[in-house]
Amino acid sequence: MNMELIRKQLEEITPPEMRFKQHVLEQIRNRRQNRRRHMLISAAIVLLVVIIGTAQFQQIATMAETMYRSIKLSLYNETLVIDNNVYRIPIEVEGLEWVGKQPNRVGHKSYTNIHAAQDELKIKLLHNARSNESVLNFLFFEKENRAELILRHFFIGDLKNFTEIILENGDRRQSYSSDQETVYKSPLDMKVSFFTGKGAEYEMDNLDTYNYEEKYISPINGITAYLLKDTFQATSDESSLLMYAAGSITEKLAVFVHDHLLYIISGNLPSSEMKNIIDAFVVEQ
């Protein structure tokens, strides 16, 4: 078909005249304006949701990073879980000596007293009038985001003639005496652990020889401590008894959490005396 002929036929076509009443035009105009306004409002709502959602996500992320773990104790024949909101404590420590390779390195250093450790680590340890001043060993487990302060021979009790000698190689040798009436059968150590990053439930290891004995709530300071007892006596042999007599087996543990710090007291003494030690901690209101 000739294209010129088609063009002339199209030009001769007159479209029908569309007549709209004024109120119809106004309605069309209003709908367009309402639709545009609705689109603007929708866009504003979406933006607001994004802003609020971002803020909520940041808050949740912070909480997830802050609220750290419950403490799980896998004991000889049961599992004990300490439900406590343990918060992370970020630290900056100078002068660490590292052992191993990343990411499994362990950093360590020593503090001459509690005040020096508290100042650098920005933590506050519980004060106990029964304690003995001692050197603090600090360990940082890089992969676990976990730090430990070890206070050896922190409670001497009624032991006689306690002395400690530092050998040339850096090892420490202690000596003390006791008799049949001595309540403390060995000095008591205290370990304070805390977490420097987020994580899941923390499981304490090396407790498979201990069993849950009692939950003790101090009427003096309100500390809730879990008392554990070594189970070796049920299957004791001559070598175990000799180790026990030498004080190299820890009979009792007391475990509690305070101010996001995990305390573990270990030594050989009756449960009644361990409770007295728990009562002697000073909790500031």
Side-chain angles (χ1 to χ4, degrees):
M1 182 177 293
N2 193 311
M3 295 300 297
E4 184 65 23
L5 180 60
I6 295 174
R7 185 180 64 81
K8 289 182 177 181
Q9 290 178 349
L10 291 175
E11 290 177 349
E12 293 176 355
I13 297 175
T14 303
E17 184 178 356
M18 300 183 67
R19 300 180 180 273
F20 293 102
K21 294 182 179 181
Q22 185 65 29
H23 73 278
V24 175
L25 294 175
E26 291 179 356
Q27 288 182 6
I28 293 174
R29 190 182 301 111
N30 291 337
R31 287 180 182 179
R32 288 179 177 175
Q33 292 177 349
N34 291 338
R35 185 170 180 270
R36 185 172 181 273
R37 185 181 300 110
H38 177 72
M39 293 176 63
L40 292 175
I41 294 175
S42 298
I45 292 175
V46 170
L47 180 60
L48 183 61
V49 169
V50 169
I51 295 173
I52 295 176
T54 303
Q56 288 180 341
F57 174 81
Q58 291 175 347
Q59 183 179 8
I60 292 173
T62 302
M63 292 178 63
E65 186 174 333
T66 302
M67 296 185 61
Y68 197 71
R69 340 177 176 228
S70 59
I71 311 298
K72 181 179 179 181
L73 286 64
S74 297
L75 306 178
Y76 176 69
N77 62 1
E78 60 186 307
T79 299
L80 180 65
V81 178
I82 303 177
D83 289 321
N84 194 296
N85 290 337
V86 182
Y87 288 73
R88 75 181 187 97
I89 303 175
I91 57 173
E92 294 183 6
V93 181
E94 296 182 356
L96 279 181
E97 297 183 16
W98 293 95
V99 176
K101 297 181 179 180
Q102 291 180 315
N104 298 310
R105 296 186 305 172
V106 177
H108 65 94
K109 71 178 297 185
S110 295
Y111 294 99
T112 56
N113 54 65
I114 288 179
H115 298 293
Q118 291 183 141
D119 289 344
E120 182 170 42
L121 300 176
K122 303 298 185 293
I123 61 175
K124 181 67 174 179
L125 300 178
L126 288 172
H127 170 71
N128 194 306
R130 290 171 171 255
S131 64
N132 178 57
E133 185 67 28
S134 64
V135 174
L136 288 76
N137 295 318
F138 175 77
L139 298 174
F140 177 66
F141 300 87
E142 185 177 40
K143 186 175 181 179
E144 300 178 16
N145 290 321
R146 180 168 59 89
E148 288 183 357
L149 271 176
I150 302 174
L151 298 85
R152 300 199 182 279
H153 319 303
F154 196 56
F155 300 98
I156 305 300
D158 56 354
L159 295 172
K160 306 295 191 299
N161 306 317
F162 180 86
T163 58
E164 183 178 60
I165 300 175
I166 302 177
L167 304 179
E168 292 182 359
N169 61 0
D171 292 342
R172 298 174 181 272
R173 179 174 296 172
Q174 298 81 29
S175 62
Y176 52 88
S177 60
S178 60
D179 53 35
Q180 295 295 329
E181 297 181 354
T182 303
V183 174
Y184 282 58
K185 303 305 179 185
S186 71
L188 272 66
D189 298 338
M190 186 170 78
K191 181 171 68 175
V192 182
S193 302
F194 57 95
F195 307 103
T196 63
K198 61 181 179 179
E201 183 180 65
Y202 171 61
E203 182 174 351
M204 290 177 57
D205 54 5
N206 301 325
L207 292 179
D208 54 353
T209 63
Y210 289 89
N211 229 340
Y212 175 62
E213 184 179 31
E214 182 182 354
K215 177 180 179 180
Y216 176 67
I217 302 177
S218 171
I220 307 301
N221 51 39
I223 290 176
T224 298
Y226 299 86
L227 304 184
L228 311 178
K229 184 176 182 179
D230 194 89
T231 59
F232 90 98
Q233 294 174 329
T235 58
S236 63
D237 53 22
E238 185 177 355
S239 61
S240 296
L241 292 174
L242 289 174
M243 290 175 64
Y244 180 80
S248 56
I249 286 184
T250 300
E251 181 182 357
K252 294 290 180 63
L253 293 182
V255 182
F256 66 92
V257 175
H258 179 78
D259 198 19
H260 317 307
L261 302 176
L262 172 64
Y263 291 79
I264 303 175
I265 304 172
S266 57
N268 303 319
L269 78 173
S271 297
S272 58
E273 184 62 22
M274 185 69 86
K275 293 176 182 178
N276 290 333
I277 291 176
I278 300 299
D279 292 340
F281 281 104
V282 179
V283 176
E284 298 179 357
Q285 301 297 329

